[in-house]
Amino acid sequence: MTRNYGIERATGEYITFVDSDDYLTSDAITAMLDRAIATNADVVIATHYYKNEVQGVAIPERLYSGNEIKKALMVHMMGNNGNKLDALSYTAWGKLYKKELFTKNNLVFPSERKLIWEDLAFSVEAYPLCEKVYVLHKPVYYYCFNEGSLTHTYKPNKLELVMELYHYMGTKIQELGLPKEAQYRLNTNFIGHIRTCIKLEVFYADKNGFGTAIQNIRKICSRKDVQILIENYPKASFNKSQYIYNFTMEHRWIYAIYFLTWLQNKKKRIE
C-alpha cells in the first residue's frame, strides 16, 4: 500500500523503491539513471549487497528486449536452477522504473495481505509490459537482514500463504507462455520456502510448544500439493543433506524432520 501511495504521488520520470530497513549506495540513482537514459530501458535491474558481500547474477550485463525479457529474465526470476545459484532478483528494490510503466498500464502492487511476497506477483505483471530491460552488474543497494522483518516473522498460516502464491505463480507461468524451465525454477524456489516454514515451526517451538510444532509440521508434510512438489522434484539436483531431508519429508517422518531442522537451525539463522 505504501508503494502504491508513492507511485500515485510521484512527480518524476523515474521511480525506485527502498525498503525501510535498507539503504542505497551514494551513486545508486546516478548509475541506474545513466543506463536508463542511454538505452531507453523501461527498467534497470542492478545488483545488491547482502551482509556487505556483492550478490552477483549469472545473467550477462546488457540490454534485453522483446521475447528475451520473458525467456531469459523472467525465467531466472522464478528461482535458481536446482543447486545452481543463478536466480535474478524479482524484488521491487534495487531497480529503476520508468514512471510511465505504471501510469500507462495502471500498474500497482498487489496487497501483501492477499499475496505473500507481493514483489514476485508484481514481477509477472510488470515485466511482460516492458519493451526494454537493462541488467546492470553494479551493486547499488544494501539489503539488511532483519530477523524481525515481515519476511522472517512467524505466522501460523504462513504455509497456506506460501502455497497460495505458488499456485498463483504457476497459473501466471502458463498464461504468459513461459518456458518449462520457469516452472522448474519456481519449484526450486518454493521447496526452499516450504523448508523455511518448517524451520520457523522448530525455531518457535519453545514459544508455541513442542507438540504444536510437531502437529504443524505434520500438517505441512501431509498437504497434497506439498507432497506432489516434493515427489516430482528432480532428486539429482540435491546434495546429500538435501536428499536426506527431502526423503524424510516425502515419507513424513515428522520427528526426524524436526531433529534435522533443529540441527540446521543451530548451524544457521533462518534467512
Side-chain angles (χ1 to χ4, degrees):
M1 291 188 291
T2 303
R3 287 173 179 163
N4 292 336
Y5 184 93
I7 292 166
E8 185 179 344
R9 289 158 178 78
T11 58
E13 294 181 30
Y14 294 89
I15 292 176
T16 195
F17 301 98
V18 185
D19 285 0
S20 59
D21 45 2
D22 301 331
Y23 58 100
L24 299 171
T25 63
S26 59
D27 61 347
I29 303 302
T30 302
M32 292 190 291
L33 186 60
D34 175 71
R35 290 294 85 206
I37 293 173
T39 63
N40 195 31
D42 298 296
V43 182
V44 174
I45 301 173
T47 55
H48 65 280
Y49 292 100
Y50 177 60
K51 296 181 179 178
N52 292 322
E53 293 184 5
V54 177
Q55 303 299 298
V57 296
I59 300 289
E61 175 171 340
R62 64 176 179 85
L63 184 69
Y64 294 80
S65 60
N67 286 334
E68 287 184 318
I69 295 172
K70 285 185 179 180
K71 292 183 178 180
L73 303 187
M74 291 187 67
V75 167
H76 281 258
M77 285 181 181
M78 296 303 109
N80 291 315
N81 187 355
N83 281 332
K84 186 179 180 182
L85 304 179
D86 61 350
L88 182 64
S89 171
Y90 60 77
T91 59
W93 50 257
K95 299 167 180 65
L96 187 73
Y97 305 82
K98 279 186 178 179
K99 184 191 174 184
E100 65 180 24
L101 181 66
F102 295 90
T103 55
K104 282 187 176 181
N105 300 291
N106 295 316
L107 184 63
V108 295
F109 284 86
S111 172
E112 66 274 15
R113 294 171 182 171
K114 294 181 179 179
L115 288 171
I116 192 172
W117 306 312
E118 74 282 1
D119 288 15
L120 182 56
F122 170 78
S123 70
V124 292
E125 299 293 339
Y127 288 94
L129 300 171
C130 297
E131 294 182 5
K132 297 178 181 179
V133 177
Y134 193 89
V135 174
L136 175 64
H137 284 193
K138 177 179 173 60
V140 303
Y141 192 96
Y142 285 88
Y143 173 72
C144 301
F145 178 75
N146 178 5
E147 289 182 339
S149 74
L150 291 174
T151 306
H152 304 100
T153 49
Y154 177 82
K155 298 176 184 176
N157 67 332
K158 185 163 186 173
L159 192 275
E160 285 76 15
L161 297 172
V162 166
M163 295 310 293
E164 183 178 353
L165 179 59
Y166 171 74
H167 293 301
Y168 174 85
M169 292 299 298
T171 299
K172 294 299 292 187
I173 286 171
Q174 295 296 318
E175 290 177 354
L176 292 168
L178 298 185
K180 289 183 179 179
E181 183 186 342
Q183 184 66 51
Y184 175 80
R185 288 175 176 272
L186 186 75
N187 291 353
T188 299
N189 190 350
F190 276 79
I191 279 184
H193 291 314
I194 291 167
R195 290 177 184 151
T196 297
C197 288
I198 294 174
K199 286 181 180 180
L200 286 167
E201 292 293 343
V202 175
F203 187 79
Y204 283 88
D206 288 342
K207 180 178 180 181
N208 298 332
F210 174 75
T212 298
I214 290 295
Q215 183 180 13
N216 289 342
I217 294 170
R218 181 173 284 111
K219 286 180 181 178
I220 291 171
C221 295
S222 297
R223 281 184 61 125
K224 186 176 180 180
D225 50 3
V226 170
Q227 277 297 316
I228 290 173
L229 186 53
I230 293 169
E231 291 168 8
N232 294 336
Y233 192 80
K235 308 298 188 292
S237 67
F238 290 141
N239 59 37
K240 187 175 180 180
S241 62
Q242 289 171 333
Y243 182 87
I244 293 171
Y245 196 90
N246 189 80
F247 187 86
T248 61
M249 289 181 67
E250 188 172 350
H251 290 80
R252 306 180 201 183
W253 295 351
I254 307 305
Y255 289 95
I257 293 168
Y258 184 97
F259 177 69
L260 291 173
T261 306
W262 179 80
L263 288 177
Q264 290 175 357
N265 284 356
K266 285 193 71 175
K267 292 179 181 178
K268 186 179 180 181
R269 292 187 304 180
I270 299 171
E271 301 182 16

